[in-house]
Amino acid sequence: MFFASDNAGPVHPQVMNRIMQDNTGHAMPYGKDPVMDEVRQAIRRTFEAPEAEVFLVATGTAANSLALACYTQPFDTIFCSKVAHIHEDECNAPEFYAGGAKLTLVPGGDKMTPKALHASIAGEEVRGVHGPQRGPVSITQVTERGEVYTLDELRALTAVAKEFDLPVHLDGARFANAINTLDCTPAEMTWKSGVDILSFGGTKNGCMGVEAVVLFDPDKAWEFELRRKRGAHLFSKHRYLSSQMAAYLDGDLWMETAAAANAHAQRLAAGLRDKGAEFLHQPDANMIFAAFPRAAHKRLHAAGAKYYIWEGTLEGDDPDEMIAARLVCDWSISDAQIDQFLSYL
């Protein structure tokens, strides 16, 4: 009953097998391996973007930070949700890699609104040399609260950014889960909706540790290469990143694993509803925020269930007090584990 994080799940056997397959002989280092050529072409086909440039790194923090740095001057500010991963969970890495640029947190919830984004952007670059200059907009899809922007919502946000001539970054750590939810193409959710640069996640969805940075503006490719090397994120034995991403894309494995994770979450959400749980956010993909009684939490913890308490504490005298939890499903969770979890509620 492991629902703590999709980072904690096993590597998919097809990914592991591809690593083993490519673990023979010698291969040129630093991304010059032939498997990287395969990856580059596969991503270009997948995104209908023959001119896109593709680079691999090992972590989502590296992907986000290096991507944003390509579009951010040290005196700029990056606009993002107040619960964006780049704000809450990356230890100021985006600011560090962008040379000290700041983040401007757009008021509201996990999903930014065009009105709030417009007001935040318009509020900067009004103090001349004394204030931060307007920098890129970063959108998280799936959001950090498990919700998914519709294509119309995405396009409304990118339209605001383009009104101010600002580039748009998409943090797609759970990109595949969002694609499954929306039943759209990768192109429709990225460059066709106004996205300039994408962090395309693999680690949370069955890979060992690999993320792709997809630049729909190839003019930024050389700068990204320099920043990746300078930032110590260029792997020498790069083929082991390439192998993971090649397997992930082969036969649409990335969509199969995301569909499985989303389906598991929907099964879990349905069971939680039946048990009277209260949802903090709409569970659009593979992440659920729900509250249920303290007594049920204690039964689950005693039985060995793993998940995060989000609001409240296990300690307390009222067994009926509603305590919020974050529950995340990965591709490997079984129906039996979900049903076992629900049986303790």
Side-chain angles (χ1 to χ4, degrees):
M1 295 185 292
F2 202 105
F3 300 96
S5 175
D6 41 9
N7 282 320
V11 177
H12 195 282
Q14 287 178 228
V15 174
M16 193 68 78
N17 289 340
R18 181 60 189 264
I19 294 172
M20 293 298 295
Q21 174 188 322
D22 292 331
N23 187 38
T24 57
H26 295 75
M28 292 300 288
Y30 304 115
K32 304 301 182 183
D33 55 279
V35 184
M36 186 59 204
D37 293 332
E38 177 185 336
V39 168
R40 191 176 295 108
Q41 293 307 316
I43 287 182
R44 287 170 174 170
R45 288 194 302 271
T46 298
F47 285 86
E48 306 170 51
E51 302 300 319
E53 293 288 353
V54 181
F55 302 96
L56 302 183
V57 293
T59 72
T61 296
N64 288 336
S65 301
L66 293 170
L68 284 165
C70 287
Y71 287 93
T72 310
Q73 293 293 324
F75 38 78
D76 287 345
T77 187
I78 299 163
F79 299 93
C80 65
S81 159
K82 66 180 182 180
V83 298
H85 201 271
I86 62 171
H87 169 57
E88 290 195 331
D89 296 289
E90 295 184 352
C91 197
N92 295 2
E95 296 96 319
F96 173 78
Y97 282 99
K102 64 175 289 184
L103 303 182
T104 291
L105 308 183
V106 177
D110 59 315
K111 292 176 80 172
M112 293 186 293
T113 66
K115 181 178 180 180
L117 179 60
H118 192 282
S120 292
I121 297 174
E124 297 297 352
E125 243 178 66
V126 295
R127 296 181 295 282
V129 73
H130 302 289
Q133 304 302 292
R134 297 165 183 157
V137 173
S138 182
I139 304 171
T140 309
Q141 178 80 316
V142 176
T143 77
E144 291 299 321
R145 297 297 181 264
E147 299 189 279
V148 174
Y149 290 97
T150 67
L151 293 181
D152 285 343
E153 288 172 331
L154 275 178
R155 290 165 182 159
L157 291 176
T158 62
V160 172
K162 301 310 178 186
E163 178 183 340
F164 290 92
D165 198 27
L166 300 180
V168 177
H169 163 255
L170 191 70
D171 178 354
R174 296 183 175 92
F175 183 89
N177 303 92
I179 288 286
N180 174 261
T181 295
L182 295 181
D183 191 25
C184 66
T185 69
E188 288 172 332
M189 205 169 77
T190 53
W191 63 269
K192 288 185 177 181
S193 291
V195 172
D196 299 288
I197 189 166
L198 166 70
S199 300
F200 176 58
T203 306
K204 296 181 186 295
N205 196 34
C207 292
M208 180 181 293
V210 67
E211 316 285 311
V213 176
V214 184
L215 293 92
F216 299 105
D217 176 6
D219 291 342
K220 289 290 184 180
W222 179 237
E223 180 177 347
F224 186 90
E225 287 205 60
L226 294 172
R227 289 185 178 275
R228 180 175 60 163
K229 176 62 178 179
R230 184 174 183 268
H233 284 285
L234 176 59
F235 272 40
S236 55
K237 291 192 175 182
H238 188 282
R239 61 169 149 169
Y240 300 105
L241 295 181
S242 304
S243 296
Q244 294 178 65
M245 189 57 67
Y248 189 53
L249 296 165
D250 187 26
D252 286 337
L253 176 64
W254 66 289
M255 288 302 300
E256 293 174 19
T257 48
N262 283 9
H264 297 325
Q266 293 310 304
R267 182 185 184 94
L268 179 58
L272 287 166
R273 286 191 190 94
D274 289 344
K275 299 287 186 176
E278 300 173 356
F279 289 81
L280 281 65
H281 304 276
Q282 177 65 29
D284 288 336
N286 68 320
M287 187 160 41
I288 298 168
F289 291 81
F292 42 91
R294 175 180 283 116
H297 283 285
K298 289 186 174 181
R299 290 192 296 269
L300 284 161
H301 278 73
K306 302 294 184 184
Y307 60 93
Y308 287 110
I309 298 293
W310 197 253
E311 294 178 2
T313 65
L314 285 181
E315 295 74 27
D317 297 328
D318 185 357
D320 298 321
E321 182 180 354
M322 301 294 274
I323 306 298
R326 188 192 82 156
L327 305 161
V328 186
C329 293
D330 79 319
W331 66 273
S332 70
I333 297 294
S334 69
D335 288 347
Q337 289 172 299
I338 295 169
D339 295 342
Q340 181 185 7
F341 183 94
L342 294 170
S343 73
Y344 288 101
L345 293 179

